[in-house]
Amino acid sequence: MIGTILNSWALFSGFGLIMLAHALQGTLLNINAVLYDFSDFEIGYTFTGYFIGFLFSSIQCPKLIKNVGHIRVFAAFASLGSIAILLHWVIVHPVAWLGFRMITGFSFAAIYIVCESWLNDRADNNSRGQLIGFYMIVLYVSNAGGVMLINLKTTTEAHLYILTSLLISIALIPILLTKKPAPEFTTPKFLSLKELYKKSPMAFVGSFAIGMIYSALFGLLAVFGAKIGLSVFQISILVFVNVLVGAIFQYPVGKISDKYDRRTILFVLNLIAIASLIFAFLFGSLSFYTLILFIGIHSAVSLPYYAVVISHMNDFLEKEEIVSASSTLTLVNALGMVTGPLLASGFMAYFGAYGYFIYMIVIYSIVAPYNFARIRVGRTSDIYDDNTPSMIVPRTASPIGMQLATDQIINKIEEEEEKSNDL
């Protein structure tokens, strides 16, 4: 496993730098949108742009990679992303930022697809799980580190924009200089939305809803912090806790969901999320530490939610259906993300900054009755022993990244079947 990681050092180092830049620019633009007096509506549609670009890139970039190759696509879109962040400082206008955020979303999705497909090619049945684990560590550590970089300089000056662009540009160097050949690329297969809903209604609805939550949670958290008057350092701590706590809880929540009906687990996560957000709304203004506590609790249940949704879907699929269904579920999640910032900003405009929490409470409260109804549909008690193994996926996973994770699940299913046959 160590040998495989060392052989992929260029990929991991380049991806780590990209994620540093991604976290830094997201926090930077959130804070500055408030400082530049963008209206709540302008903030909403501006930051929706990233997720629109991400969605279209997830559909189109696999075809582009197949035609021109991994390295060219990585170089082109890393360069485009590097330029886009500088343009945010040159032209300060919400409509212009909408365009720049669309370019950024398209570029970063392309980078994820390149990195994840390259990683999948390097992995075999023995090393895939460990490589995914290391990939997740790089992703979340880089995200957390990038958030803290916001404290280096004043946000309205050019320094942090230049630093972000510099990090993206430096990320090109190890990738472009690697001697390793680029992998063969297979365009992901997609199940139709109608077929996916028939396979697992709860997974379909849950994926869309958590997409609406994620885009607000990660796209506007720093905006919320700036609106309530937190310092830049406090905002960075808030975002840091949100990223790291959620990452830590993915594994234990996933393992618990292996033993029970995952619809019940999702319902419990939903209720805890609602309770934590209500407490954040009621008591978050009392002190910064109270706010951090309830944000952390929410993150602990919201980030694992998507992974449990995917695992629940896999429980009802044949092995040969898992990859295509997972790719489609990623697009459902991305569709939810497109709507999140605009709706959340509307709640903030009407209810004030703490309308941010009301928005998420409403989404969870809509999903909870549907979730309960799906539990009432019933399930035989012995099927829990046949749950597919839980899977852990990053919230940024592209359809290719989903394939990487699902390949590991398929390997585990086959291993369990072999053991069962031997018995």
Side-chain angles (χ1 to χ4, degrees):
M1 184 265 188
I2 294 177
T4 307
I5 291 175
L6 291 176
N7 287 334
S8 304
W9 71 269
L11 176 65
F12 283 122
S13 57
F15 180 71
L17 289 168
I18 289 288
M19 293 312 299
L20 276 173
H22 176 266
L24 172 59
Q25 73 167 307
T27 310
L28 174 65
L29 296 176
N30 267 222
I31 293 171
N32 282 351
V34 177
L35 295 180
Y36 292 145
D37 292 323
F38 287 9
S39 70
D40 290 305
F41 176 69
E42 288 169 340
I43 289 173
Y45 74 68
T46 295
F47 290 103
T48 294
Y50 176 88
F51 301 103
I52 294 173
F54 190 98
L55 174 61
F56 279 99
S57 183
S58 296
I59 298 170
Q60 295 298 324
C61 268
K63 303 172 187 176
L64 189 60
I65 293 172
K66 194 171 181 64
N67 290 333
V68 304
H70 289 71
I71 292 179
R72 288 188 180 92
V73 168
F74 186 94
F77 286 104
S79 298
L80 196 59
S82 179
I83 294 168
I85 184 59
L86 295 177
L87 290 175
H88 286 83
W89 185 72
V90 175
I91 306 174
V92 181
H93 191 279
V95 175
W97 277 29
L98 168 63
F100 302 151
R101 292 304 287 162
M102 291 175 67
I103 293 170
T104 301
F106 198 99
S107 300
F108 274 83
I111 290 167
Y112 296 148
I113 290 171
V114 168
C115 291
E116 289 165 348
S117 62
W118 207 318
L119 186 62
N120 198 22
D121 181 75
R122 297 283 172 87
D124 55 30
N125 290 348
N126 295 323
S127 65
R128 181 172 282 107
Q130 294 168 316
L131 276 176
I132 292 172
F134 189 76
Y135 171 73
M136 295 279 285
I137 291 171
V138 171
L139 188 153
Y140 284 112
V141 169
S142 299
N143 253 300
V147 169
M148 299 310 293
L149 292 177
I150 197 72
N151 297 289
L152 292 178
K153 287 288 183 179
T154 304
T155 61
T156 52
E157 295 179 357
H159 301 87
L160 294 178
Y161 292 92
I162 294 171
L163 175 59
T164 304
S165 177
L166 186 64
L167 287 170
I168 297 174
S169 299
I170 293 174
L172 284 166
I173 297 173
I175 297 291
L176 295 181
L177 293 182
T178 182
K179 295 180 181 179
K180 300 291 181 182
E184 295 293 327
F185 186 81
T186 303
T187 304
K189 299 177 182 178
F190 293 97
L191 202 66
S192 73
L193 296 177
K194 184 178 180 180
E195 289 176 313
L196 180 63
Y197 182 81
K198 286 183 177 179
K199 291 288 184 182
S200 181
M202 185 61 226
F204 188 100
V205 172
S207 179
F208 184 84
I210 203 64
M212 296 178 72
I213 295 291
Y214 282 175
S215 57
L217 184 62
F218 294 96
L220 297 179
L221 182 58
V223 169
F224 163 76
K227 280 183 171 291
I228 65 172
L230 296 182
S231 69
V232 171
F233 179 71
Q234 287 175 319
I235 292 172
S236 67
I237 294 297
L238 190 67
V239 178
F240 178 88
V241 168
N242 184 56
V243 170
L244 217 55
V245 171
I248 291 169
F249 274 84
Q250 281 212 48
Y251 181 79
V253 172
K255 298 310 290 183
I256 292 171
S257 76
D258 285 346
K259 299 178 180 180
Y260 304 98
D261 185 346
R262 288 193 170 105
R263 286 172 290 197
T264 302
I265 299 299
L266 290 171
F267 187 65
V268 172
L269 294 178
N270 209 322
L271 294 181
I272 296 173
I274 291 172
S276 64
L277 292 170
I278 290 174
F279 281 117
F281 175 78
L282 294 175
F283 305 115
S285 59
L286 295 180
S287 76
F288 176 65
Y289 299 103
T290 304
L291 181 63
I292 285 284
L293 172 64
F294 295 123
I295 288 290
I297 294 172
H298 175 257
S299 178
V301 295
S302 64
L303 258 70
Y305 190 98
Y306 185 39
V308 177
V309 162
I310 299 166
S311 299
H312 169 66
M313 178 192 67
N314 291 343
D315 293 341
F316 297 91
L317 300 175
E318 301 296 331
K319 282 188 300 184
E320 58 272 15
E321 297 175 314
I322 289 178
V323 170
S324 58
S326 296
S327 298
T328 304
L329 199 69
T330 307
L331 298 185
V332 173
N333 184 255
L335 285 169
M337 287 184 178
V338 168
T339 64
L342 197 58
L343 290 176
S345 64
F347 274 79
M348 294 171 78
Y350 189 81
F351 294 103
Y354 279 84
Y356 177 71
F357 294 128
I358 297 175
Y359 162 76
M360 290 189 282
I361 290 168
V362 168
I363 300 301
Y364 283 120
S365 298
I366 292 172
V367 175
Y370 183 82
N371 193 338
F372 185 73
R374 295 308 304 172
I375 294 173
R376 298 282 292 177
V377 168
R379 201 175 180 202
T380 58
S381 59
D382 60 342
I383 200 170
Y384 309 136
D385 295 331
D386 297 327
N387 275 355
T388 58
S390 60
M391 59 188 297
I392 300 175
V393 293
R395 60 181 177 82
T396 56
S398 68
I400 302 297
M402 197 63 76
Q403 285 190 6
L404 174 63
T406 51
D407 283 345
Q408 172 67 7
I409 295 303
I410 292 170
N411 290 338
K412 289 182 179 180
I413 294 172
E414 291 175 346
E415 289 173 3
E416 290 179 358
E417 288 177 349
E418 289 177 3
K419 291 179 181 177
S420 178
N421 292 333
D422 290 342
L423 294 174

